[in-house]
């Protein structure tokens, strides 16, 4: 199971009851964080989550409301007795900014690896993280600075077929290894691959996260069939459309149209303007466009 929590839903600046946009996704006891605005570590604590489980931090772009929380979070992770390496990945052009930000952290008790990601269209980067059973895909977005959308593909283990294992004569003590994808060698020298005792691999869970962008058509393809699509909706007032185009942001209606085109299973809206004090007032209109839209609030959670 994957535990997903939208730590904050704000854009530009935090409010007293709304943190800046950041997503925490935990799977198999390890977590991925997308974006880290000011106060992210406080939001993690407020939701009762474990920052020590974060293995990977993905940054969409280097505007302050998406990265200013990094130094504090990294220091707090260091104070949690972590010694294992931690990866921060961001658009290539963001790497110098992130290095400058984290330079104020002093000597962290763990290795920090900062990776620059390609910014080319349409799909710039795919990475396999074996330990996390995770694939990460990126999509360059249309913002005022280099910005990436992320899709997380959380892989599921294929079902174990005990009758197959018994028929081959595999002792029970080897079953766990086989289900984990390892080949085992029996006492008589017979090699048993995991495929011999497992069923077809199920489709991975798909989580797509896009914010700070125009509603480009590529986003619908990128989020196609997502179990959870998280997308910015800065305003719900359609008269703001021209302004949003100029600033390269989206309306809530834009996000709902993309979710509908992508045939996503559910949509979480996020990255609201500070001027949108009650985004839920647009719910009826938005549900006509995409019935599974959730006008998210801080701490929105789901188990997939």
């Amino acid at each position: 199971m994957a535990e997903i929590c939208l730590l904050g839903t704000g854009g530009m600046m935090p409010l007293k009851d709304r943190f800046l946009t950041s997503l925490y996704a935990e799977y198999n006891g390890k977590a991925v964080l997308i974006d880290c605005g000011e106060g992210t570590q406080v939001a993690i604590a407020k939701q009762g989550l474990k920052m020590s489980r974060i293995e990977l931090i993905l940054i969409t772009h280097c505007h302050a409301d998406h990265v200013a929380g990094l130094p504090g979070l990294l220091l707090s992770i260091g104070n949690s007795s972590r010694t294992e390496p931690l990866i921060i990945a961001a658009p290539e052009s963001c790497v110098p900014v992130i290095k400058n930000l984290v330079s104020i952290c002093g000597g962290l008790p763990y290795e920090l690896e900062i990776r620059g990601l390609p910014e080319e269209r349409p799909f710039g980067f795919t990475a396999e993280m074996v330990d996390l059973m995770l694939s990460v895909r990126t999509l360059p977005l249309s913002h005022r600075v280099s910005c990436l959308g992320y899709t997380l593909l959380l892989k599921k283990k294929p079902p174990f077929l005990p009758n197959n294992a018994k028929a081959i004569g595999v002792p029970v003590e080897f079953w766990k290894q086989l289900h984990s994808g390892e080949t085992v060698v029996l006492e008589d020298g017979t090699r048993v691959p995991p495929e011999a005792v497992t069923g077809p691999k199920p489709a991975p869970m798909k989580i797509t996260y896009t914010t700070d962008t125009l509603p480009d058509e590529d986003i619908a393809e990128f989020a196609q069939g997502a179990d959870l699509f998280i997308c910015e909706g800065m305003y719900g007032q359609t008269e703001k459309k021209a302004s949003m185009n100029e600033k390269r942001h989206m309306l809530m209606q834009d996000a709902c149209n993309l979710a509908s085109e992508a045939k996503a299973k559910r949509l979480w809206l996020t990255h609201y303007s500070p001027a949108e004090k009650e985004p839920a007032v647009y719910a009826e209109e938005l549900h006509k466009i995409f019935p599974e839209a959730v006008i998210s609030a801080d701490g929105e959670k789901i188990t997939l």
Side-chain angles (χ1 to χ4, degrees):
M1 293 188 298
E3 302 291 337
I4 315 299
C5 180
L6 193 54
L7 298 168
T9 55
M12 298 172 61
M13 57 183 281
L15 303 177
K16 64 180 181 179
D17 55 353
R18 185 189 294 165
F19 286 107
L20 294 171
T21 309
S22 181
L23 182 78
Y24 180 101
E26 185 175 324
Y27 189 53
N28 291 332
K30 297 182 179 180
V32 176
L33 187 74
I34 305 182
D35 279 340
C36 188
E38 177 187 348
T40 294
Q41 63 172 321
V42 180
I44 289 173
K46 183 177 180 180
Q47 298 303 325
L49 303 171
K50 301 289 186 182
M51 65 181 68
S52 60
R53 294 181 180 174
I54 297 172
E55 300 287 324
L56 172 66
I57 300 175
L58 300 170
I59 300 298
T60 56
H61 64 295
C62 274
H63 280 160
D65 56 338
H66 295 259
V67 297
L70 274 174
L73 176 68
L74 296 177
L75 287 167
S76 291
I77 290 174
N79 288 333
S80 69
S81 302
R82 184 192 184 94
T83 56
E84 299 81 13
L86 184 133
I87 299 169
I88 299 177
E92 185 69 50
S93 57
C94 289
V95 169
V97 176
I98 292 173
K99 286 183 175 178
N100 286 333
L101 264 177
V102 304
S103 67
I104 67 173
C105 292
L108 295 171
Y110 55 88
E111 179 185 353
L112 187 63
E113 180 183 346
I114 301 173
R115 297 183 184 177
L117 304 179
E119 301 169 12
E120 296 82 9
R121 278 179 170 263
F123 301 117
F125 175 80
T126 300
E128 299 284 335
M129 301 198 70
V130 177
D131 290 346
L132 276 68
M133 293 185 68
L134 165 72
S135 291
V136 179
R137 294 178 182 171
T138 66
L139 174 69
L141 301 175
S142 296
H143 194 39
R144 291 172 293 165
V145 298
S146 293
C147 184
L148 292 176
Y150 292 101
T151 282
L152 307 181
L153 296 174
L154 304 177
K155 300 176 184 178
K156 304 175 188 176
K157 287 183 180 180
F160 187 76
L161 306 175
N163 289 338
N164 287 25
K166 291 174 183 176
I168 298 172
V170 180
V172 174
E173 58 264 30
F174 289 121
W175 289 11
K176 185 175 181 180
Q177 288 175 257
L178 286 163
H179 198 200
S180 297
E182 300 177 33
T183 296
V184 302
V185 180
L186 306 183
E187 287 186 2
D188 63 2
T190 302
R191 294 177 61 84
V192 181
E195 295 80 11
V197 295
T198 55
K201 290 185 178 180
M205 290 178 283
K206 181 174 181 178
I207 302 163
T208 297
Y209 179 101
T210 58
T211 185
D212 291 50
T213 179
L214 290 173
D216 292 347
E217 290 182 1
D218 286 341
I219 296 174
E221 180 184 351
F222 189 58
Q224 195 68 34
D227 294 282
L228 176 59
F229 179 31
I230 300 152
C231 188
E232 85 157 326
M234 196 159 217
Y235 286 95
Q237 305 165 49
T238 53
E239 59 267 28
K240 294 279 188 180
K241 181 61 176 172
S243 173
M244 290 296 93
N245 287 347
E246 180 183 346
K247 296 176 181 177
R248 293 183 173 267
H249 282 286
M250 272 194 264
L251 295 175
M252 299 177 197
Q253 291 83 351
D254 293 326
C256 288
N257 284 323
L258 287 172
S260 179
E261 188 177 347
K263 296 180 172 59
K265 293 180 181 176
R266 53 185 66 82
L267 168 69
W268 283 0
L269 292 165
T270 190
H271 202 266
Y272 309 124
S273 164
E276 286 288 10
K277 305 295 186 184
E278 298 291 341
V281 300
Y282 305 104
E284 183 176 353
E285 175 187 353
L286 299 176
H287 288 154
K288 290 178 181 177
I289 304 172
F290 188 71
E292 299 305 317
V294 175
I295 298 83
S296 306
D298 285 16
E300 200 76 50
K301 292 180 181 178
I302 193 171
T303 300
L304 296 176

